[in-house]
C-alpha cells in the first residue's frame, strides 16, 4: 500500500504466536496516547508472518519493503516464529531482512528494573539495575556467510563466518559512547571474546581503544563475554552502557531481561538514527501462550514508547513508561508477573492510566 504522508506512518506487523495479541494491546495504548497528545501518526497493519508464508509463499514482498523504506517512519513488529516453519525462513526475510537492508545497526535493549519484586537477585533495588545494551545488528555471526560441504554425509562440514568490519564495529561503539554522553551515563563496557577470536574481536579491541579517547569523561571498561554474563548477575549496578557484537548481544539481552522480570517486560529498537527503524519486543512468539490472552503486552508497549521517543514524541513516550510502571505497582499485570489480568486487560489498564493523566 503506498502512503500519502511521508514521515509519520507506522507499519504494524503483528506476526506469529503471541505477536497479534501483544500488538493489538500495544497499538490501542499508542493510539490512545496519540489522541491525547494530538500526535500525527497513522497505523497501517500488515499480515506478514508464518501463516501468509505457508499459504502463499510470501515473506516480505519487495514492494512492501520499498514502501516501508521510502514512506514510513517506523515498523512495529510483534514477533515471528512458528513451529511449522522450523528454519524461520520467513523471519530471515522479514526480521533479519529489514535489520540488514534498512541498515539498522543499533539494537538498543534497555535493562531496567521497574519494581523490586521482579528481580530474582537478592536485595536489589530499581537503582541497582538500570543499563542499556547496544547490540551490533548488521553483521557478526548473523551475516549469513558460510555454507555446507558434503551436506548430510558423515563428513559434513558446516561453516558460519563471523563478519566484523571496521565500519560496523566503529559505528556501534561510537553510538554507545554517544548515548552515554547524551544521557549523562559515565561508564561504557565493551564485551567480546578477543582472547579466542583474535582476528574479528581483536578489531573490536583496537577500535574500542581508539574511540574511547574521544570521550574522556566516560570510563571505558572491557570484559570478555563469559565474565560479563557473570558480572551482570553479580554486580548489575556496575553497568550503564554495554556494547557488544550481534550474537553476544542477543544472548546477554535475554539474560538482562531475566534480571528485571523476564521477557514480558523487555523492549528493543532496531535503529539507524534518522532513518526508518524497526521496533519489536525482545521476546519471541511464545507458541505455548498463543491464543490464550495470557502473554504480557508490557514489553511491546514499552517498545512502543521507545518508538515514540525515536519519532520525537518524548512526552508521550515518558507518559507511557510512567503508566506501565504504575500498572506494575498496582499489580494490574499478567500472570508471568504475579497478576491475574489477561493480555488485553493489562493493555487496557495502561491505557486507562494514560487517560487519567498518570
Ligand atoms: P520466546 O521469547 O518466544 O519464549 C521464551 C519464554 O519466555 C517462554 O517461556 C515464553 O512463554 C516466555 N515469554 C516470552 N514472551 C512472553 C510474554 N510476552 N509474556 C509472557 N511470557 C513470555 O522464545 P522461544 O520459545 O525460544 O522462541 C519461540 C519462537 O520465537 C521461535 O520460533 C523463535 O525463533 C522465535 N523468536 C522470535 C523473536 C522475534 O520475533 N524477535 C525473538 C525470539 C525468538
Ligand atoms: C531476537 C531474536 C532474533 C535474533 C531471532 C528471532 C532471529 O532472538 O530478536 O533477539 O536472534 O536476533
Ligand atoms: Mn533473541
Amino acid at each position: 500500500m503506498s502512503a500519502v504522508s511521508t514521515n509519520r506512518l507506522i507499519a504494524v506487523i503483528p506476526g506469529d504466536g503471541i505477536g497479534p495479541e501483544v500488538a493489538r494491546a500495544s497499538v490501542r495504548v499508542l493510539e490512545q496516547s496519540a489522541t491525547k497528545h494530538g500526535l500525527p501518526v497513522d497505523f497501517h497493519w500488515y499480515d506478514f508472518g508464518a501463516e501468509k508464508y505457508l499459504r502463499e509463499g510470501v515473506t516480505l514482498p519487495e514492494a512492501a519493503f520499498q514502501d516501508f523504506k521510502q514512506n514510513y517512519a517506523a515498523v512495529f513488529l510483534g514477533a515471528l516464529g512458528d513451529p511449522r516453519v522450523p528454519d524461520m525462513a520467513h523471519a530471515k526475510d522479514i526480521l533479519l531482512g529489514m535489520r540488514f537492508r534498512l541498515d539498522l545497526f543499533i539494537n538498543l535493549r534497555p535493562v531496567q528494573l521497574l519494581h523490586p519484586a521482579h528481580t530474582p537477585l537478592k536485595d536489589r533495588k530499581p537503582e541497582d539495575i538500570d543499563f542499556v545494551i547496544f547490540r551490533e545488528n548488521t553483521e557478526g555471526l548473523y551475516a549469513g556467510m558460510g555454507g555446507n560441504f558434503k551436506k548430510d554425509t558423515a563428513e559434513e562440514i558446516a561453516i558460519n563466518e563471523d563478519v566484523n568490519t571496521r565500519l560496523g564495529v566503529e559505528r556501534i561503539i561510537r553510538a554507545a559512547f554517544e548515548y552515554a554522553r547524551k544521557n549523562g551515563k559515565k561508564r561504557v563496557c565493551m564485551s567480546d571474546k578477543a582472547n579466542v577470536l583474535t582476528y574479528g574481536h581483536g578489531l573490536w579491541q583496537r577500535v574500542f581503544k581508539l574511540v574511547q579517547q574521544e570521550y574522556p569523561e566516560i570510563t571505558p571498561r572491557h570484559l570478555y563475554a563469559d565474565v560479563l554474563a557473570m558480572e551482570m548477575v553479580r554486580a548489575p549496578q556496575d553497568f550503564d552502557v554495554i556494547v557488544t557484537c550481534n550474537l553476544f548481544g542477543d544472548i546477554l539481552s535475554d539474560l538482562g531481561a531475566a534480571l528485571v522480570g523476564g521477557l514480558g517486560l523487555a523492549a528493543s529498537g532496531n535503529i539507524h538514527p534518522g532513518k526508518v527503524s524497526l521496533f519489536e519486543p525482545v521476546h519471541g512468539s511464545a507458541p505455548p501462550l498463543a491464543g490464550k490472552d495470557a502473554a504480557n503486552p508490557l514489553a511491546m508497549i514499552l517498545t512502543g514508547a521507545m518508538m515514540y521517543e525515536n519519532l520525537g514524541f518524548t512526552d508521550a513516550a515518558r507518559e507511557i513508561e510512567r503508566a506501565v510502571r504504575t500498572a506494575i505497582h498496582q499489580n494490574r499485570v499478567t500472570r508471568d508477573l504475579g497478576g491475574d489480568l489477561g493480555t488485553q486487560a493489562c493493555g487496557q489498564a495502561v491505557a486507562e492510566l494514560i487517560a487519567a493523566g498518570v
Side-chain angles (χ1 to χ4, degrees), residues 88 95-96 99 109 135 142 250 280 282:
M88 290 282 271
L95 178 59
L96 298 178
R99 285 181 184 168
R109 297 187 156 186
R135 167 187 178 188
Y142 279 68
D250 178 46
E280 42 144 12
V282 175

Side-chain angles (χ1 to χ4, degrees), residues 9-216:
L9 294 181
I10 297 170
V12 184
I13 305 177
D16 309 328
I18 61 170
E21 295 165 70
V22 295
R24 193 181 328 127
S26 304
V27 173
R28 277 202 192 132
V29 168
L30 295 180
E31 281 181 331
Q32 153 106 19
S33 167
T35 306
K36 179 172 172 183
H37 293 271
L39 307 178
V41 286
D42 198 1
F43 294 89
H44 293 175
W45 295 70
Y46 291 84
D47 63 351
F48 306 131
E51 200 63 54
K52 193 177 184 75
Y53 173 64
L54 290 166
R55 205 175 53 234
E56 301 168 25
V58 170
T59 54
L60 177 64
E62 183 61 20
F65 172 78
Q66 292 300 339
D67 196 23
F68 296 165
K69 186 173 170 179
Q70 284 155 33
N71 303 313
Y72 277 70
V75 179
F76 194 41
L77 173 68
L80 294 172
D82 186 301
R84 295 169 299 170
V85 191
D87 64 356
M88 290 282 271
H90 63 311
K92 277 189 194 83
D93 286 352
I94 302 171
L95 178 59
L96 298 178
M98 280 196 279
R99 285 181 184 168
F100 293 145
R101 296 180 66 203
L102 295 172
D103 200 28
L104 306 174
F105 65 96
I106 299 169
N107 195 327
L108 178 58
R109 297 187 156 186
V111 177
Q112 188 181 20
L113 181 61
L114 298 177
H115 191 295
H118 293 151
T119 182
L121 304 183
K122 204 163 75 164
D123 299 330
R124 296 295 180 189
K125 297 182 281 303
E127 57 269 30
D128 295 328
I129 314 180
D130 186 5
F131 60 90
V132 295
I133 297 175
F134 272 72
R135 167 187 178 188
E136 201 293 320
N137 211 31
T138 51
E139 48 188 53
L141 276 158
Y142 279 68
M145 287 181 63
N148 296 88
F149 181 52
K150 300 186 182 178
K151 193 168 182 189
D152 292 327
T153 72
E155 299 86 40
E156 174 162 352
I157 298 173
I159 295 176
N160 276 93
E161 293 188 291
D162 184 19
V163 177
N164 297 272
T165 69
R166 170 70 194 239
L167 183 147
V169 172
E170 185 168 341
R171 67 183 178 173
I172 189 68
I173 289 177
R174 196 175 290 285
F177 276 103
E178 282 297 320
Y179 176 93
R181 175 172 279 173
K182 197 164 155 236
N183 292 280
K185 305 283 185 188
K186 295 284 171 243
R187 300 164 296 186
V188 172
C189 177
M190 191 278 279
S191 186
D192 59 33
K193 278 290 285 182
N195 48 350
V196 183
L197 309 175
T198 47
Y199 309 116
H201 287 188
L203 175 64
W204 281 76
Q205 295 261 332
R206 284 180 279 124
V207 172
F208 187 59
K209 288 204 174 83
L210 282 177
V211 174
Q212 65 185 232
Q213 290 167 20
E214 297 171 35
Y215 301 85

